[in-house]
């Protein structure tokens, strides 16, 4: 019940219209990349809509049918979202790696990024509202031969413990 109370509290604080959905399945061959929820077209869900929980970004709707939808997770390499590192206000693109961690790329080479900096969705995102939590920086890779910096981001969401999510309606 702790998950439900946290999610309902988060839903009340969320300024966007949303639908609560239960996780009803995961594909064994794509365990770290997708999940199935018990809401679909009947509740107004459409492809590309953001999926979140109280901890942060979970993923986005990849496929929709009448009563269920498939969610592509933040940890999938096919997922990407424009993001912002809060401390230095640096923009980049976050995508998954299938290893439970995300990669943030296209950050300026002279950016002042530190381990522990929080990462949120950016207003540059076409499908996610600004300011949703993604994770925190755990590694900064400064490749001297590239004009940009790359970071590894530990998501705030515990994907193995998700039971319910919110789908943010557009």
């Amino acid at each position: 019940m702790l998950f439900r109370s946290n999610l309902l509290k988060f839903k009340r604080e969320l300024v966007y219209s949303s639908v609560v959905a239960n996780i009803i399945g995961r594909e064994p061959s794509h365990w770290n990349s997708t999940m199935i929820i018990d809401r679909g077209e009947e509740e107004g869900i459409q492809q590309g809509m953001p999926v979140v929980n109280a901890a942060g970004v979970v993923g986005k709707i990849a496929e929709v049918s009448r009563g269920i939808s498939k969610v592509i997770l933040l940890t999938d390499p096919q997922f990407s979202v424009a993001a912002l590192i809060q401390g230095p206000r640096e923009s980049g693109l976050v995508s998954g790696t299938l290893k439970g961690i995300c990669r943030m790329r296209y950050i300026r080479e002279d950016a002042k990024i530190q381990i522990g900096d929080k990462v949120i969705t950016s207003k540059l995102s076409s499908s996610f509202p600004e300011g949703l939590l993604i994770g925190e920086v755990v590694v900064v890779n400064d490749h001297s031969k590239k004009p940009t910096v790359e970071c590894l981001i530990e998501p705030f969401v515990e994907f193995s413990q998700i039971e319910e999510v919110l789908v943010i309606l557009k």
Side-chain angles (χ1 to χ4, degrees):
M1 281 314 261
L2 180 62
F3 291 116
R4 180 168 283 279
S5 66
N6 285 343
L7 190 68
L8 292 175
K9 180 181 176 204
F10 179 66
K11 181 174 174 49
R12 283 192 296 271
E13 294 170 359
L14 195 64
V15 296
Y16 307 101
S17 179
S18 61
V19 173
V20 176
N22 295 300
I23 308 307
I24 59 170
R26 290 182 96 154
E27 296 178 38
S29 61
H30 300 288
W31 192 264
N32 288 326
S33 63
T34 62
M35 60 178 50
I36 308 299
I37 59 172
D38 65 350
R39 300 284 187 251
E41 291 172 347
E42 293 175 337
E43 290 79 23
I45 293 176
Q46 299 173 3
Q47 186 175 358
M49 287 182 166
V51 179
V52 299
N53 71 8
V57 173
V58 172
K60 64 183 169 186
I61 301 295
E63 296 176 23
V64 184
S65 63
R66 229 176 82 145
I68 65 171
S69 299
K70 182 188 275 187
V71 177
I72 184 170
L73 300 178
L74 173 66
T75 53
D76 187 285
Q78 299 299 314
F79 177 95
S80 63
V81 64
L84 183 72
I85 300 174
Q86 277 189 312
R89 308 300 291 173
E90 291 291 336
S91 295
L93 186 69
V94 171
S95 55
T97 64
L98 285 182
K99 297 177 182 171
I101 202 150
C102 297
R103 178 176 291 119
M104 186 168 177
R105 296 177 291 174
Y106 312 117
I107 304 165
R108 291 180 314 120
E109 67 179 325
D110 60 343
K112 306 271 188 268
I113 302 165
Q114 296 185 19
I115 305 300
D117 281 346
K118 305 276 187 275
V119 179
I120 59 173
T121 54
S122 167
K123 63 182 168 188
L124 300 176
S125 175
S126 59
S127 56
F128 279 79
E130 176 183 8
L132 297 174
L133 292 172
I134 295 173
E136 73 178 15
V137 175
V138 292
V139 174
V140 179
N141 293 323
D142 183 10
H143 302 292
S144 59
K145 295 181 182 176
K146 293 186 179 179
T148 62
V149 172
E150 183 177 290
C151 297
L152 295 182
I153 310 298
E154 179 76 34
F156 286 131
V157 171
E158 290 289 338
F159 293 95
S160 64
Q161 298 176 352
I162 297 176
E163 296 178 17
E164 296 174 314
V165 293
L166 291 175
V167 180
I168 298 175
L169 303 175
K170 293 185 178 176

